Amino acid sequence: MTDVQSNSQPSASRRPSAHDDNHDYEIESLEEFDRVIAAGTLAGHRVQSVDLTDRTFALLGADTTESLFLGCAMEPDAAAKVRAGGALVFPPVPGLPFDPYRGSLYGPDELFEGLSDTGYDATPDARSYRWFEATKSDGDIFASMLRSIHDDAVSDALDEHLAGARVVGIMGGHALERGSAAYAGAARLGRRLARSGLTVATGGGPGAMEAANLGAYAAPFEDGMLDSALEILAKAPHFDPSITEWARAAFDVRRSRPEGGASVGIPTWFYGHEPPNAFASHIAKYFVNAVREDGLLARSNAGVVFLPGAAGTVQEIFDNATPNYYGSRGEPTPMVLVDRAHWTERLPAWPLLQALAADRPMAARIALVDSVDEAPEALARLKDGTPS
């Protein structure tokens, strides 16, 4: 990282437009690289975390004016040539349990690699959390820079993945146990919303978040598949005391019924004691929780369902309410709170949300329902601005 070199500074005005020639200027795989290089130039392109050690000949003959190479392994003569040709090169950083320059979202198989052989503690997810714990408060600007680059790369990949999608966020507590009626209800909700054509997005962790991602995973299958999955998962109801057994049960479900439906999980290593769940097909995992929280809510353009939860879910309600109140993201988006007793008695967030919404456009975009089965209809109603 410290040997970044370039003969010129990339200029945004010189980049190819993402719409020019109907292609993106970001190259995130070897296949994309080969396709672009065949067209004759890498000028202005951004190459993210692609192993180019076998592409030396192509690099030696390529125009790399104002291009950018992020974490791309190259032979020394190829690296020298692209730098001399005007490229900015950020070499790979050895010894990290994660790739700060990654060009795509995580998948469960990547984060849980090694789970079946050696258990959770040896997985990339667990090792990344230990790295974060060791560096988060040591004052090292290099570590903080790596975290920032990583989280920005993840946000970029998330935006690319969700482009054009109608995203519904499902928020809820991590403590919800497999085998409970509430967990099954959250799973049914995720399945129903996914079957309606929405992209389900959650905080990516255990409990209600896992249940919603599980429901989206079950969406393409017959209804009985979800019932069978719930039975398997109930054998390991919580990630405490054993994340390994908890995660293995999820992969048992995935192996028994592969190729499930897609959904998004957006967890954080800030809460590293909470593992990500294995049912989100695409995982945007962050180091900075504030970036993760705001990013999840901001991308939920079809609304958010808030299941019963504690402090974290209360925070999410008002993090979502604030831009709806001020209109800072445009039209207010639907907010559905599930479980009247929970949100009016145990944690009375609903009366405050109503008071905030009074006489404002967001008043027509909030609803309180008694059960999770009512949430999809409430979302559809609020989409048209019909208040509860």
Side-chain angles (χ1 to χ4, degrees):
M1 194 77 182
T2 55
D3 63 340
V4 173
Q5 299 172 27
S6 173
N7 285 354
S8 64
Q9 188 69 19
S11 165
S13 63
R14 291 286 302 278
R15 289 198 309 242
S17 165
H19 302 290
D20 288 349
D21 300 324
N22 199 31
H23 70 79
D24 195 331
Y25 63 85
E26 294 180 356
I27 298 174
E28 297 157 346
S29 70
L30 200 55
E31 293 74 20
E32 282 184 280
F33 176 86
D34 290 340
R35 197 159 55 243
V36 172
I37 203 73
T41 183
L42 290 171
H45 283 78
R46 282 79 174 95
V47 191
Q48 284 180 255
S49 196
V50 180
D51 187 343
L52 299 174
T53 51
D54 291 334
R55 295 298 187 272
T56 298
F57 182 77
L59 289 167
L60 291 176
D63 178 4
T64 57
T65 305
E66 296 190 353
S67 59
L68 177 65
F69 293 84
L70 294 166
C72 298
M74 288 182 272
E75 295 293 345
D77 53 346
K81 161 58 175 66
V82 300
R83 285 172 176 145
L88 185 62
V89 178
F90 289 76
V93 182
L96 291 177
F98 63 93
D99 178 5
Y101 308 112
R102 61 182 304 114
S104 62
L105 298 176
Y106 292 98
D109 290 331
E110 179 182 359
L111 287 175
F112 285 100
E113 183 182 5
L115 176 76
S116 59
D117 299 323
T118 54
Y120 175 73
D121 284 346
T123 64
D125 186 66
R127 289 187 288 115
S128 295
Y129 175 52
R130 288 197 294 272
W131 178 89
F132 174 58
E133 284 290 285
T135 63
K136 67 180 182 181
S137 57
D138 63 5
D140 184 359
I141 192 172
F142 183 56
S144 62
M145 181 178 66
L146 291 174
R147 293 194 296 270
S148 297
I149 291 172
H150 170 274
D151 285 3
D152 189 65
V154 167
S155 290
D156 182 63
L158 184 59
D159 284 336
E160 291 176 359
H161 176 69
L162 293 177
R166 295 180 61 232
V167 181
V168 58
I170 301 179
M171 312 296 164
H174 69 273
L176 192 63
E177 288 198 348
R178 298 164 170 176
S180 67
Y183 184 96
R188 290 195 307 271
L189 173 65
R191 181 177 65 182
R192 188 168 169 187
L193 294 173
R195 285 177 173 177
S196 73
L198 295 169
T199 296
V200 170
T202 78
M209 297 171 280
E210 180 190 55
N213 287 127
L214 167 64
Y217 186 88
F221 302 113
E222 74 284 356
D223 287 355
M225 178 272 174
L226 180 56
D227 297 331
S228 299
L230 292 171
E231 289 182 13
I232 294 171
L233 295 173
K235 297 173 184 177
H238 200 267
F239 62 90
D240 184 22
S242 174
I243 295 176
T244 297
E245 295 308 312
W246 175 86
R248 282 175 175 167
F251 279 96
D252 286 344
V253 171
R254 289 172 54 89
R255 279 189 294 271
S256 68
R257 298 303 296 269
E259 307 298 327
S263 66
V264 173
I266 307 181
T268 174
W269 280 295
F270 182 80
Y271 297 132
H273 62 287
E274 295 180 14
N277 77 73
F279 292 111
S281 57
H282 296 81
I283 300 174
K285 189 150 192 179
Y286 289 89
F287 288 108
V288 179
N289 186 50
V291 175
R292 168 250 191 173
E293 289 275 8
D294 186 67
L296 171 55
L297 295 167
R299 290 173 175 88
S300 296
N301 54 18
V304 183
V305 177
F306 297 92
L307 302 176
T313 311
V314 172
Q315 176 183 334
E316 288 161 349
I317 289 172
F318 293 103
D319 280 348
N320 197 42
T322 300
N324 280 348
Y325 179 88
Y326 288 111
S328 54
R329 294 182 187 140
E331 282 283 314
T333 52
M335 299 177 64
V336 179
L337 278 60
V338 175
D339 191 332
R340 190 176 302 273
H342 185 85
W343 295 121
T344 62
E345 298 170 18
R346 286 187 286 277
L347 294 174
W350 174 250
L352 179 53
L353 185 62
Q354 274 190 310
L356 279 173
D359 301 320
R360 303 187 77 87
M362 69 176 287
R365 296 290 194 276
I366 65 171
L368 175 66
V369 298
D370 291 310
S371 76
V372 71
D373 295 327
E374 300 173 71
E377 286 82 3
L379 270 177
R381 185 172 67 248
L382 297 180
K383 174 188 169 189
D384 300 323
T386 304
S388 175

